Amino acid sequence: MTGDEPFITAVKPLVDAMGGEMLPPDEAGADDVVLAWEGVDVVAVRLPQLADSLDHILAAMERKQGKPLADLDRKAKQEVVRILEARGAFSVRHGVETVAGALGVSRFTVYNYLNREKEA
């Protein structure tokens, strides 16, 4: 890979943010996404399973907050739930339970946060 490094460097933050894995294009599986630059396959991206993606999103949110999500105040936790809902976190099997565990609240509390957002 010669001229492709800038391309790989450019897409790496996006792949990392979604919890994907980069691999050589010739190792791509049927479900992987092969990215080409100027007609040449440069890199393949293996997308995460949805459940793994949710864990990755939660970890990224913790890094951004600079502390565990469970340590946030109620208003900040409500904002986290709003962001996660917008990203489809609650369409994942056990999504509510996973988020509740990360926030240190009950499933009922997460549902309350979701309902409060819909009423606003």
Side-chain angles (χ1 to χ4, degrees):
M1 293 197 272
T2 54
D4 354 356
E5 283 86 1
F7 179 77
I8 291 172
T9 300
V11 298
K12 186 173 183 345
L14 176 62
V15 173
D16 290 346
M18 48 186 212
E21 176 187 353
M22 298 173 75
L23 47 137
D26 59 343
E27 294 179 20
D31 293 331
D32 297 332
V33 178
V34 177
L35 302 178
W37 183 253
E38 296 180 347
V40 177
D41 292 344
V42 177
V43 65
V45 177
R46 182 157 296 152
L47 301 173
Q49 297 298 314
L50 284 177
D52 295 338
S53 185
L54 178 54
D55 289 338
H56 190 80
I57 291 167
L58 288 167
M61 292 182 92
E62 274 196 351
R63 283 192 304 275
K64 185 175 181 178
Q65 294 290 335
K67 60 183 170 182
L69 297 178
D71 293 347
L72 298 175
D73 63 25
R74 184 176 54 83
K75 187 173 175 81
K77 288 179 182 182
Q78 289 171 336
E79 178 66 11
V80 166
V81 168
R82 186 194 64 72
I83 292 167
L84 291 171
E85 183 180 29
R87 294 185 75 179
F90 302 109
S91 63
V92 176
R93 183 178 166 108
H94 303 296
V96 171
E97 292 86 348
T98 301
V99 171
L103 292 175
V105 299
S106 69
R107 288 177 24 224
F108 181 74
T109 299
V110 172
Y111 284 119
N112 279 341
Y113 291 169
L114 289 167
N115 288 335
R116 170 170 287 163
E117 190 61 34
K118 287 181 174 78
E119 293 169 3

